[in-house]
Amino acid sequence: MLRVRGRSVAWMPPLLLLGAIAAVDFNTSGEFRIISWIVLVPGIAAAICGMWGTAGFAVLAVVTYVLADSAWPHQYQTGLPDFVLVAVGGVLALLACEVRLRGERSMLHMRDVADTTRRTVLRDLPPVWGGLEHAAVYLAADSQARVGGDFYDIQPGLHGTRVLLGDVQGKGLGAVEAAAALLGTFREAGYHEPDLATVAERLEIRMRRHDLLVTALGREDGDRFATAVLLGFTPGEDGREVVEAVVFGHEPPLAVGPDGVRPLPPGDGLPLGLGELAAGLPPVHRVPLAPGTTLLLTTDGVTEARDGDGLFYPLTDEVARAVTADPRTADPHRLVAFVRDGTLRHCGGRLADDTTVFAVRRADESARKGRLQS
């Protein structure tokens, strides 16, 4: 924050304070001496400068004190007690600066760990991957954690390209662990398995196995589940785009394109991990899509965002109005940015849950060339 044109100016506040104290002390009467206030200077430096800067101001404060105090007649000098105060204040400022710097280093290390974890769970993808143009925004409700239980990925494979988006119940590292387990299974099954139903079954089994392991370890979060949407992109018989969709207790995707805005079939499936409570896995729906249609997938950070009156964010209506006004809003990057901004505006920037906005569509040849050139 204390930088001008890329250069640190953290030294300026303590230097200005030192000059101000010395000037006021010099221009007041002998009965009103404030030179001992100079002890504040190394304290301010300890809060915003490094060790060498703090040490420099500690020494400068002592030297300034001695010069300013000795310039007064003997009867007005503050003497040795205030000199000791200024000297001890400088030493304490150095100790405080070291504690602060250690805390900052620890915080930066934890941020690096969180960023690494986030890149592992939510890996970076090329602009066009598996023949799909995509865009995503992930906003953690806990800005310090930087990663939560929301997850998404695109996996090209031997039998088409599969897409997964989901939300693990609960928060904390346990939710991140479950999300990582599901993504690992998706990346393998999505690549090898010919049928989307088999991929869905593998995800259900993986969630149950994960819960069994957590329970066996004696942890109390062994009953997690995850809502999810699993998609498979395949060409239709008439050349039209066809998407296969399996919905595990999640909001169905919105198809946004030339035909307007409509939700995909919701399905009747339970969340991943709760499949034993149902007669079977949710069905695989095959839905034809018009060329240029974008599928919008969100987690409940969007659908459950509330305004000051407690009203939910009207996602479908907002997107429909935006696309009607400007059909270019259906572009994945524009669409994701629109939903992100609308959600934050609706809830006043106070997210109650992790929020993911993910949009995908089949990339045409011009889009692929444009992405490669950019």
Side-chain angles (χ1 to χ4, degrees):
M1 292 172 56
L2 296 174
R3 303 184 79 84
V4 175
R5 296 182 179 180
R7 294 186 177 183
S8 174
V9 292
W11 50 268
M12 188 174 292
L15 183 62
L16 292 175
L17 178 62
L18 184 146
I21 292 174
V24 171
D25 183 77
F26 181 78
N27 290 282
T28 53
S29 64
E31 289 78 10
F32 185 74
R33 300 289 311 283
I34 67 166
I35 192 60
S36 58
W37 291 13
I38 210 167
V39 71
L40 298 174
V41 170
I44 297 297
I48 59 179
C49 298
M51 283 294 293
W52 285 108
T54 302
F57 278 109
V59 173
L60 188 59
V62 171
V63 172
T64 304
Y65 171 82
V66 172
L67 294 176
D69 195 45
S70 61
W72 285 85
H74 179 74
Q75 66 270 26
Y76 296 124
Q77 293 179 5
T78 56
L80 182 62
D82 283 356
F83 172 83
V84 174
L85 173 66
V86 174
V88 171
V91 173
L92 293 178
L94 284 171
L95 295 176
C97 183
E98 174 62 21
V99 171
R100 189 201 101 219
L101 292 176
R102 286 186 180 183
E104 288 181 356
R105 286 192 291 267
S106 177
M107 181 188 67
L108 291 174
H109 175 70
M110 292 304 296
R111 178 172 292 185
D112 288 341
V113 171
D115 287 341
T116 301
T117 302
R118 180 174 176 175
R119 287 194 299 270
T120 300
V121 177
L122 305 178
R123 61 181 180 177
D124 294 331
L125 298 173
V128 176
W129 186 235
L132 299 181
E133 186 181 3
H134 62 88
V137 167
Y138 175 82
L139 302 173
D142 183 352
S143 60
Q144 299 299 319
R146 303 172 70 86
V147 65
D150 287 6
F151 58 93
Y152 60 87
D153 201 5
I154 298 175
Q155 182 57 61
L158 302 176
H159 307 281
T161 300
R162 275 71 186 264
V163 174
L164 177 67
L165 176 138
D167 181 6
V168 177
Q169 169 264 335
K171 300 181 183 297
L173 292 178
V176 178
E177 183 182 10
L182 288 171
L183 283 172
T185 297
F186 166 72
R187 288 162 184 166
E188 290 302 310
Y191 179 85
H192 290 286
E193 298 296 342
D195 298 323
L196 196 68
T198 305
V199 180
E201 182 180 17
R202 293 276 298 276
L203 290 171
E204 170 65 27
I205 293 172
R206 185 67 182 94
M207 192 70 223
R208 284 191 237 161
R209 288 174 53 205
H210 177 77
D211 285 347
L212 289 174
L213 173 63
V214 171
T215 301
L217 291 173
R219 288 163 43 182
E220 297 180 355
D221 56 341
D223 57 350
R224 290 189 186 274
F225 58 85
T227 64
V229 175
L230 176 64
L231 303 177
F233 286 81
T234 58
E237 296 179 357
D238 57 355
R240 295 191 66 180
E241 183 72 30
V242 173
V243 64
E244 296 180 325
V246 182
V247 180
F248 293 93
H250 199 91
E251 288 289 330
L254 290 180
V256 182
D259 296 338
V261 178
R262 61 188 174 97
L264 267 61
D268 301 318
L270 294 176
L272 291 167
L274 303 179
E276 292 180 336
L277 303 179
L281 293 174
V284 177
H285 294 281
R286 289 177 57 86
V287 181
L289 299 177
T293 298
T294 299
L295 293 182
L296 175 65
L297 301 92
T298 63
T299 58
D300 53 11
V302 174
T303 55
E304 296 182 5
R306 297 174 183 260
D307 62 9
D309 297 327
L311 300 177
F312 291 114
Y313 177 58
L315 174 63
T316 303
D317 294 340
E318 289 290 317
V319 172
R321 279 195 291 267
V323 173
T324 300
D326 184 1
R328 294 177 300 174
T329 306
D331 174 82
H333 292 83
R334 290 173 178 262
L335 185 58
V336 163
F338 173 81
V339 175
R340 175 201 61 200
D341 295 343
T343 302
L344 292 174
R345 185 169 54 250
H346 184 78
C347 67
R350 298 181 297 273
L351 296 174
D353 200 352
D354 296 333
T355 301
T356 299
V357 185
F358 191 45
V360 294
R361 73 178 176 189
R362 180 70 70 180
D364 56 25
E365 193 63 29
S366 61
R368 298 184 192 184
K369 290 181 179 178
R371 296 296 178 190
L372 289 175
Q373 291 174 355
S374 61

